[in-house]
Amino acid sequence: MPAPSRGEEPSWPACDGGRGSGLGPTVCDRVSVREKKGRRRAGVAVADMFRCGGLAAGALKQKLAPLVRTGCVPGPRQRNRLPVLQCHHPGSPSRSLASTGASGKDGSRLVYFLIVGATVTGAGVYYAYRILKDDQKRYSERISGLGLTPEEKQKRAASPAPEGESVPTVRVPSHVPFLLIGGGTAAFAAARSIRARDPGARVLIVTEDPELPYMRPPLSKELWFSDDPNVTKTLRFRQWNGKERSIYFQPPSFYVSAQDLPHIENGGVAVLTGKKVVQLDVRGNMVKLNDGSQITYEKCLIATGGTPRSLAAIDRAGAEVKSRTTLFRKVGDFRTLEKISREVKSITIIGGGFLGSELACALGRKARTLGTEVIQLFPEKGNMGKILPEYLSNWTMEKVRREGVKVLPDAIVQSVGVSGGKLLIKLKDGRKVETDHIVAAVGLEPNVELAKTGGLEIDSDFGGFRVNAELQARSNIWVAGDAACFYDIKLGRRRVEHHDHAVVSGRLAGENMTGAAKPYWHQSMFWSDLGPDVGYEAIGLVDSSLPTVGVFAKATAEDNPKSATEQSGTGIRSESETESEASEIAVPPSNPLVPQAPAEGEDYGKGVIFYLRDKVVVGIVLWNIFNRMPIARKIIKDGEQHEDLNEVAKLFNIHED
């Protein structure tokens, strides 16, 4: 390169943008190494903020772009020219931003760089601020939502968001290994079983209910006997043995966020509340929710439970009748009915089974202090007439009446209307009942809507999804709880609607979803309490149309549900003996006797009722006898004929004081 003349700046080759032209020193080389490193870092920061700064910074960049020329051009031989700023960004071609022009423009160019830097820096800071604010908002909403009633949650969801803020939405995971449809007892039992066998499993529960999984029995039993004025909010109750507990299986802290489920290292159980699965694609291992989102799965459990049946007379009635009728099933129904029971003068319960009789006793006892009239009507001759033999059904009816309930047996509803501000129930025999509110407790209809889109079989006799011995309906599809119609190796095909069955079938389905391949052999039990003083446990086929044999004895002060929970330590009695079975039982020989039904009017303190089919015991009711279910389960499993059932009854120690 020729030497420059005195007083003249050396003539440097143009900058090649760092591509290495091999021409020796260039204009770029005039910048010191320290300046180049510092400016390179600044260039990277500016480029990153341009990338993340949003539309505002991008628009400003477009407006100012004509003022900037990309690349380096030969500069005039002046001492006051601005240095070249090189901007390098990882993964993108090298770029140079050079300023040319007269030295008088240097101030405006400097101002330009300051404006651009300040703009993109501000945009980046604002972006980070919004990310952190949104995360904090989602956390605060999750914490503030714990413990709210469904009504409060709906009210908060319906209120408009503050101006300028978007309404957060729950991100539904696109794929989960284990998908459980339904959020009741069976689904929770399955989730717990899956996690027990696979501690790292990711389980998602999708439920229409706004509540986390909870147990249903206390809704018609202990909760009504609570002295806590806030029981509808706390949903905590004292068991018959005095111990306090919640109806929820686990607190909110037990569960993980649904949107975080796919990323949590050790897995967990997440619950999507207020969501309904409306479509099931068995071949594609995919479900569609009512909000349009889709979830693929590897294993799926259907535990959709059932919907309370209504009466045709109520369905035909107008909107006012329907609005003043409760179909009792969920936590929301308990809250509603508890509030109504304090506001109206009369409540009528239609139905004489477990639920109807339990609610009648609970409301009857509550009505003593409120002065409310409680009426119960049903088509049978006595309470629980489809289950208990007639003499015991009549005794139970008198027990309910002693609780302050006006019981009307042999009552078939013909029509329901409104007259003078009251609901008017007309019976087929001409009787009329005036009331302020109706509670319908006339059975359950299994939820089987998914059978249509999933191509699953429905049992025409019992309803529910037909499953095999392993509770499997199709490949990768299992069913548990009220919605499952299974084959009982001792009693034939059945469908059971009880807590214990939901626990055991859900647990087994969860095990089989993780490869256990176990058959369902369990004889589930159920129980009903007419307050803390009278209760019974039952197992097998208990149908009043079957021949029965009852053996009774005088009860002691310890023969009641309260004492039973004190001995077992739990108010949900099946938890202590869900799968227990006596190993061996020996019935002493005796002379054959023809059992006789107890005399009418006898006080049935405690006893055992055997239900027979072809002289074989297929069902057992333990009346005020508790913690003896393993023996009953063994008798049914053996399936033997017994010459003297009085001797068999001795196995339950009914004559002990």
Side-chain angles (χ1 to χ4, degrees):
M1 180 171 59
S5 303
R6 180 174 299 185
E8 186 178 344
E9 190 77 5
S11 178
W12 296 85
C15 175
D16 62 357
R19 290 186 292 273
S21 62
L23 298 179
T26 67
V27 175
C28 297
D29 295 325
R30 297 182 62 194
V31 183
S32 68
V33 174
R34 181 177 302 173
E35 289 174 327
K36 289 170 69 177
K37 289 182 178 179
R39 290 166 185 164
R40 186 177 296 114
R41 287 194 296 268
V44 171
V46 169
D48 282 340
M49 285 185 287
F50 262 123
R51 175 176 297 180
C52 304
L55 295 176
L60 180 59
K61 178 182 176 182
Q62 300 244 345
K63 291 181 180 179
L64 298 177
L67 301 177
V68 184
R69 294 182 182 178
T70 304
C72 296
V73 296
R77 298 177 181 180
Q78 299 179 29
R79 299 185 182 209
N80 296 327
R81 63 179 296 177
L82 284 175
V84 175
L85 174 62
Q86 288 184 312
C87 300
H88 299 284
H89 195 282
S92 61
S94 300
R95 292 170 295 176
S96 300
L97 296 178
S99 174
T100 62
S103 60
K105 302 293 184 179
D106 288 353
S108 63
R109 287 194 295 269
L110 180 60
V111 172
Y112 157 69
F113 281 115
L114 292 175
I115 292 174
V116 172
T119 301
V120 295
T121 300
V125 171
Y126 177 73
Y127 177 79
Y129 164 75
R130 287 305 302 267
I131 291 294
L132 294 175
K133 185 177 180 181
D134 289 345
D135 286 345
Q136 184 181 21
K137 182 179 179 182
R138 285 193 294 267
Y139 174 79
S140 299
E141 288 179 344
R142 182 179 179 186
I143 296 301
S144 63
L146 300 181
L148 292 179
T149 66
E151 294 78 8
E152 291 169 337
K153 292 178 183 178
Q154 293 174 2
K155 183 177 180 181
R156 189 176 71 172
S159 60
E163 186 176 356
E165 294 189 11
S166 60
V167 179
T169 57
V170 178
R171 297 178 185 175
V172 178
S174 59
H175 176 80
V176 291
F178 297 96
L179 175 66
L180 313 184
I181 305 174
T185 300
F188 181 80
R192 188 161 50 184
S193 177
I194 291 170
R195 292 277 296 170
R197 288 176 54 87
D198 182 1
R202 294 177 172 84
V203 183
L204 177 64
I205 297 175
V206 180
T207 173
E208 289 185 78
D209 203 309
E211 302 287 344
L212 294 174
Y214 58 89
M215 61 187 78
R216 298 190 192 278
L219 297 181
S220 60
K221 297 180 176 70
E222 295 93 336
L223 281 175
W224 289 99
F225 295 87
S226 173
D227 295 327
D228 183 3
N230 297 317
V231 66
T232 55
K233 291 185 177 181
T234 65
L235 296 176
R236 297 188 64 83
F237 61 94
R238 290 191 180 277
Q239 302 169 164
W240 303 140
N241 60 6
K243 296 181 180 179
E244 186 177 277
R245 68 179 296 174
S246 169
I247 70 168
Y248 295 101
F249 291 112
Q250 291 289 348
S253 58
F254 170 83
Y255 303 96
V256 301
S257 168
Q259 62 187 20
D260 296 336
L261 182 63
H263 314 294
I264 296 178
E265 181 179 359
N266 296 322
V269 180
V271 183
L272 276 177
T273 58
K275 302 287 186 180
K276 181 179 181 179
V277 175
V278 296
Q279 185 175 338
L280 173 63
D281 181 357
V282 176
R283 290 187 177 182
N285 281 12
M286 183 270 293
V287 298
K288 185 176 181 179
L289 307 187
N290 56 346
D291 61 1
S293 56
Q294 297 180 350
I295 305 174
T296 58
Y297 61 84
E298 296 170 24
K299 309 288 183 182
C300 176
L301 172 70
I302 299 176
T304 47
T307 301
R309 291 191 183 102
S310 183
L311 291 171
I314 294 176
D315 293 336
R316 293 192 303 265
E320 184 175 354
V321 172
K322 294 179 181 178
S323 67
R324 296 168 67 175
T325 299
T326 298
L327 303 179
F328 196 89
R329 172 72 172 170
K330 301 180 179 180
V331 166
D333 303 324
F334 165 72
R335 289 187 170 118
T336 300
L337 187 58
E338 199 279 336
K339 182 175 183 292
I340 290 172
S341 69
R342 291 183 279 106
E343 298 174 345
V344 301
K345 297 297 184 181
S346 174
I347 296 178
T348 297
I349 302 166
I350 302 177
F354 307 109
L355 180 61
S357 298
E358 290 171 358
L359 287 176
C361 284
L363 289 170
R365 183 167 294 195
K366 187 181 181 72
R368 293 177 180 176
T369 57
L370 298 176
T372 307
E373 180 186 36
V374 178
I375 304 168
Q376 184 187 18
L377 58 88
F378 43 79
E380 296 81 30
K381 294 184 178 180
N383 286 77
M384 292 179 279
K386 292 183 178 181
I387 302 157
L388 302 177
E390 185 176 345
Y391 61 87
L392 197 55
S393 174
N394 292 336
W395 185 92
T396 304
M397 181 170 59
E398 295 304 319
K399 168 67 171 67
V400 175
R401 283 173 173 164
R402 289 196 296 272
E403 293 292 338
V405 180
K406 181 180 179 181
V407 182
L408 302 178
D410 299 308
I412 300 176
V413 177
Q414 185 176 42
S415 65
V416 182
V418 181
S419 177
K422 292 275 192 177
L423 295 178
L424 180 62
I425 304 173
K426 294 182 179 180
L427 305 180
K428 280 192 174 182
D429 60 6
R431 287 179 292 176
K432 296 180 181 180
V433 176
E434 288 187 346
T435 189
D436 294 318
H437 194 79
I438 293 175
V439 180
V442 291
L444 198 69
E445 194 68 34
N447 293 328
V448 293
E449 294 90 348
L450 292 177
K452 184 176 182 180
T453 59
L456 305 179
E457 184 180 3
I458 302 300
D459 189 87
S460 58
D461 296 325
F462 300 97
F465 300 93
R466 285 179 70 97
V467 295
N468 62 16
E470 297 175 8
L471 302 180
Q472 194 171 26
R474 290 279 296 275
S475 177
N476 297 332
I477 300 288
W478 286 260
V479 187
D482 299 341
C485 183
F486 62 98
Y487 183 77
D488 189 314
I489 58 175
K490 288 293 182 182
L491 306 177
R493 188 158 289 277
R494 305 175 63 199
R495 191 176 66 82
V496 180
E497 300 173 358
H498 296 297
H499 177 86
D500 178 61
H501 169 70
V503 171
V504 178
S505 63
R507 180 186 303 157
L508 179 66
E511 292 178 354
N512 288 341
M513 292 171 75
T514 54
K518 293 181 179 180
Y520 187 81
W521 58 266
H522 178 71
Q523 285 294 332
S524 62
M525 59 88 70
F526 61 92
W527 77 99
S528 181
D529 295 336
L530 303 178
D533 302 322
V534 176
Y536 65 87
E537 298 177 351
I539 188 172
L541 292 179
V542 286
D543 187 333
S544 60
S545 64
L546 293 173
T548 61
V549 174
V551 181
F552 290 84
K554 185 177 180 180
T556 68
E558 304 298 320
D559 298 319
N560 53 59
K562 181 178 180 180
S563 297
T565 55
E566 290 174 348
Q567 295 176 28
S568 65
T570 174
I572 307 300
R573 295 197 289 275
S574 63
E575 291 180 356
S576 63
E577 52 186 41
T578 291
E579 294 187 84
S580 301
E581 178 184 307
S583 56
E584 295 292 338
I585 57 174
V587 180
S590 64
N591 296 324
L593 296 174
V594 179
Q596 301 292 328
E600 190 71 26
E602 181 177 341
D603 185 10
Y604 305 108
K606 63 178 179 179
V608 183
I609 301 97
F610 299 98
Y611 293 74
L612 308 176
R613 187 171 64 185
D614 299 328
K615 299 182 180 181
V616 174
V617 176
V618 295
I620 297 175
V621 168
L622 302 180
W623 185 263
N624 269 346
I625 296 177
F626 308 99
N627 304 316
R628 298 287 189 274
M629 194 50 64
I631 299 173
R633 185 171 285 118
K634 176 65 174 175
I635 292 173
I636 293 178
K637 184 178 181 181
D638 289 347
E640 299 177 355
Q641 293 187 11
H642 299 280
E643 293 183 349
D644 188 356
L645 290 173
N646 288 284
E647 295 298 327
V648 178
K650 292 179 180 179
L651 296 171
F652 297 94
N653 302 323
I654 66 171
H655 298 294
E656 288 185 355
D657 293 331

